[in-house]
Amino acid sequence: VQYLQVKFFNMNNFQIRKATPEDTQTIFDLIYKLAVYEKLENDVITSVEELRTNIFEKKFAEVLIAEEDEKPVGFALYFHNFSTFVGKPGIYLEDLFVEPETRGKGYGKALLVELARIAKERNCGRLEWSVLDWNTPSIEFYKSLGAKPMDEWTVFRLDKAGIENLAKSI
C-alpha cells in the first residue's frame, strides 16, 4: 500500500493512499454513497467488476482513498484530459466524496491538495471538476480554495443511446 504524505495537517490517524484493485468494492460503495447524496442513486449502473476492469486493468482513471484510523472515509476519482489552448494535459476530477460524519476535518481539502500536487508533478495545465448547481456547500468550499466557476460554459453529454445513435449516423 502506497501512502502519500499529508504534511499540512496534524492528522496522525488520517492517510491518503492510491487505490489498489482490492479497493474496488470500497470504491463502488463510496460512489453509491455519493450518488445518494446527489440524489442520483438510480443513475449508478456500473458494477464492481466493471470498475475493476476500467480503473485497474485498462487504467482509464485513478483513485485516491482517504482513510481515518485505516477505515475508508472518502475518495477522489480522476483522469487526464488535454487542453489544446494550454498545450498540456490536465486532471479532471470526476468525483470527490467524504463521508458526512467525517466532514469538517479537512479531508476533502487534503484530497484536493494531493490532486494539486499530482497535477504539479505531472506538469498539468489545469485541474478541473464539475459541481451540481444546487450544491452550495461544495461550491463555497471550492471557492474558498481559490477555484473559479466556469459560468460561461455549459456541459453537454451524450449517454450510451446518444453515442450509439450518433455513431451510426451520417
Side-chain angles (χ1 to χ4, degrees), residues 82-89 124-126:
F82 192 85
S83 169
T84 55
F85 289 8
V86 177
K88 293 182 178 186
C124 293
R126 295 178 176 159

Side-chain angles (χ1 to χ4, degrees), residues 28-87:
F28 179 87
D29 294 343
L30 291 167
I31 288 169
Y32 191 79
K33 289 177 180 183
L34 170 63
V36 169
Y37 173 75
E38 292 181 339
K39 301 170 183 63
L40 297 169
E41 59 267 30
N42 292 334
D43 291 348
V44 179
I45 60 171
T46 193
S47 67
V48 172
E49 271 312 307
E50 187 170 43
L51 290 172
R52 182 176 287 112
T53 297
N54 287 327
I55 295 171
F56 298 106
E57 292 173 24
K58 295 184 179 180
K59 301 189 183 303
F60 289 138
E62 298 175 66
V63 179
L64 298 176
I65 301 284
E67 295 180 328
E68 181 182 77
D69 295 324
E70 298 183 15
K71 176 186 173 238
V73 294
F75 81 111
L77 187 146
Y78 60 99
F79 54 88
H80 283 280
N81 55 16
F82 192 85
S83 169
T84 55
F85 289 8
V86 177

Side-chain angles (χ1 to χ4, degrees), residues 5-11 14 16 105-115 117:
Q5 292 196 2
V6 182
K7 297 179 181 177
F8 47 91
F9 291 111
N10 183 13
M11 298 185 204
F14 176 75
I16 294 174
K105 296 183 176 183
Y107 299 169
K109 181 177 181 180
L111 284 163
L112 284 167
V113 168
E114 182 59 26
L115 280 173
R117 189 196 63 73

